[in-house]
Amino acid sequence: MEGGQPYPGKSHQQEATGVTPGSPAAAHSDEDDGYEVLTSFQANREQKETGELTGARKSPKNSPSPSSSMTTKQLQEYWRNEKRSFRAVKVLFEISSARIVENTFSKYVKYQIIIIQTGSFDSDRSIIERRYSDFERLHADLLKTFYDEMEDVPFPKKSLTGNFTEDIITERKLAFQDYLRLLYSMECIQTSRIFIDFLIRPEMEEAYSCLRGGQYPKSLEIFLQVVPLQEKLIKHRPILLVPTLCAILICHKDLDDSRSAYEFGERALLRLQNHPNHRYFMPLLEAMISLAYDLGKDFVSLQEKLEERKAKKGPRKAVTLKELVVREYVQ
């Protein structure tokens, strides 16, 4: 397979985003949901700001879990304890099985990928399925963006015959497993949108499609399966989980489960507390105020934050959280 040549004189960051140094778009913005554009410094800063350290961790025995009944002081103490007990983790990919899918017009193999965290017991291991063509597309996209890193990365070639034999399938299972582990070992690829989309996008597209179609139970089921995997993959930038948490909030709210909706809203706000310019900040605050009112909770502090932000932003067209959520992953 041939990959695209890198653009002369451009860095991988510029190739991936189209941003050139000195341009207005080059400055980091809270509105941005980018992946490759994030520097290590920004990633570390965001982890400190949000207090969110994803991955395997053990909370001290006396540390409470975050809940809707906790005060701001209690939440701050909770995250301080979390930081003390944080341990760096790695993600491990295993392809333990594969199945042949055959219908009227096509026949292909789906490989089951198990993603787990090493370093501690992972109760939320994630399982996805991908076809050879999915891997092939991933490889082509990575070659275009990260040519220098990818030019020597081996990729299983297609065979004219025997693609469905047990020997070939077993050989490819091992090859794709090594391939994913190698990709994850390269930080620029590990944190790229291309790599993360390969692992979560099909499921996210299905979940958002169900949400837009009013199939909230099915949408919620998929989101709750994807969240643990998304947390593993975006530990470099926890704020990227905000849209998913807000989508789960909407599902719970439309299923008349205000308490669960509020809890996921709190998780999203924790990631946004130092990012008032983020596009989800004001719509989320408005949704949380409404939920707090329904649940009989104190919403004065939320209302004050909203009014303060409105005063700084000036008159603008209001967008509800649901309107924002349904725009995600539109093909």
Side-chain angles (χ1 to χ4, degrees):
M1 168 183 297
E2 295 182 359
Q5 296 293 324
Y7 296 103
K10 287 190 177 182
S11 67
H12 290 150
Q13 176 174 321
Q14 293 164 310
E15 292 166 22
T17 64
V19 176
T20 55
S23 67
H28 176 66
S29 167
D30 287 329
E31 299 283 349
D32 176 42
D33 285 335
Y35 290 69
E36 295 91 351
V37 296
L38 191 69
T39 66
S40 297
F41 172 78
Q42 288 168 326
N44 292 334
R45 184 185 65 184
E46 283 195 359
Q47 285 184 330
K48 291 178 182 178
E49 287 176 346
T50 60
E52 175 65 20
L53 294 171
T54 57
R57 54 184 179 248
K58 294 182 180 178
S59 299
K61 292 181 179 179
N62 296 327
S63 175
S65 59
S67 67
S68 56
S69 61
M70 293 173 67
T71 64
T72 300
K73 184 176 180 180
Q74 288 173 324
L75 284 169
Q76 289 173 343
E77 179 62 27
Y78 171 82
W79 288 121
R80 276 196 293 270
N81 291 333
E82 286 286 277
K83 288 180 183 180
R84 295 189 193 106
S85 60
F86 174 74
R87 290 189 298 163
V89 296
K90 297 290 184 180
V91 173
L92 180 66
F93 299 90
E94 294 182 359
I95 300 182
S96 58
S97 64
R99 62 188 180 95
I100 298 174
V101 179
E102 189 170 6
N103 53 42
T104 307
F105 300 105
S106 63
K107 182 179 180 180
Y108 54 88
V109 178
K110 276 199 167 184
Y111 299 90
Q112 186 184 79
I113 307 169
I114 301 174
I115 304 108
I116 60 174
Q117 288 180 168
T118 61
S120 70
F121 175 71
D122 185 4
S123 60
D124 288 321
R125 69 175 189 166
S126 304
I127 301 175
I128 59 175
E129 286 189 320
R130 295 293 182 267
R131 299 172 53 175
Y132 180 95
S133 59
D134 296 324
F135 281 98
E136 194 174 36
R137 192 178 307 112
L138 168 67
H139 193 71
D141 290 342
L142 289 174
L143 271 172
K144 292 175 183 177
T145 306
F146 304 101
Y147 183 81
D148 290 342
E149 290 82 0
M150 291 294 300
E151 62 176 335
D152 294 323
V153 174
F155 187 82
K157 300 296 182 183
K158 273 187 176 178
S159 303
L160 294 177
T161 60
N163 286 302
F164 302 103
T165 64
E166 185 176 346
D167 288 343
I168 291 294
I169 292 175
T170 300
E171 180 182 320
R172 284 186 179 166
K173 281 194 303 184
L174 296 173
F176 282 138
Q177 180 173 282
D178 291 340
Y179 177 74
L180 289 173
R181 291 180 178 181
L182 179 57
L183 294 183
Y184 188 78
S185 70
M186 293 182 275
E187 187 174 2
C188 63
I189 292 177
Q190 174 193 135
T191 60
S192 70
R193 179 182 292 273
I194 297 170
F195 183 66
I196 294 174
D197 274 357
F198 167 78
L199 295 166
I200 67 171
R201 189 173 186 90
E203 288 74 19
M204 294 293 275
E205 286 180 347
E206 182 182 3
Y208 277 103
S209 177
C210 290
L211 188 153
R212 285 188 286 271
Q215 302 175 49
Y216 301 114
K218 180 63 175 177
S219 177
L220 184 59
E221 178 186 353
I222 300 170
F223 277 128
L224 292 177
Q225 290 173 353
V226 175
V227 162
L229 174 57
Q230 195 175 17
E231 286 181 319
K232 293 179 179 73
L233 297 171
I234 62 171
K235 59 183 179 292
H236 63 289
R237 196 177 184 198
I239 199 172
L240 292 173
L241 193 64
V242 167
T244 309
L245 295 175
C246 290
I248 294 174
L249 180 159
I250 294 298
C251 288
H252 278 305
K253 187 174 185 296
D254 286 346
L255 290 170
D256 297 322
D257 186 354
S258 296
R259 188 168 301 279
S260 295
Y262 192 85
E263 289 175 0
F264 277 92
E266 281 190 319
R267 290 175 61 181
L269 278 178
L270 279 172
R271 290 163 170 82
L272 291 178
Q273 60 184 347
N274 290 298
H275 300 275
N277 291 325
H278 195 281
R279 60 198 172 94
Y280 270 84
F281 187 72
M282 289 177 63
L284 177 57
L285 278 176
E286 290 177 337
M288 290 294 284
I289 291 168
S290 175
L291 287 168
Y293 179 82
D294 292 341
L295 293 168
K297 294 180 178 293
D298 182 10
F299 55 85
V300 174
S301 62
L302 295 173
Q303 187 70 50
E304 289 175 348
K305 288 181 182 178
L306 181 61
E307 294 303 325
E308 179 185 354
R309 194 64 207 147
K310 283 182 176 179
K312 290 181 179 179
K313 296 288 280 189
R316 61 181 296 176
K317 182 181 179 181
V319 179
T320 67
L321 187 64
K322 188 170 185 178
E323 289 173 336
L324 199 57
V325 163
V326 298
R327 297 174 187 173
E328 300 284 347
Y329 284 88
V330 176
Q331 292 179 313

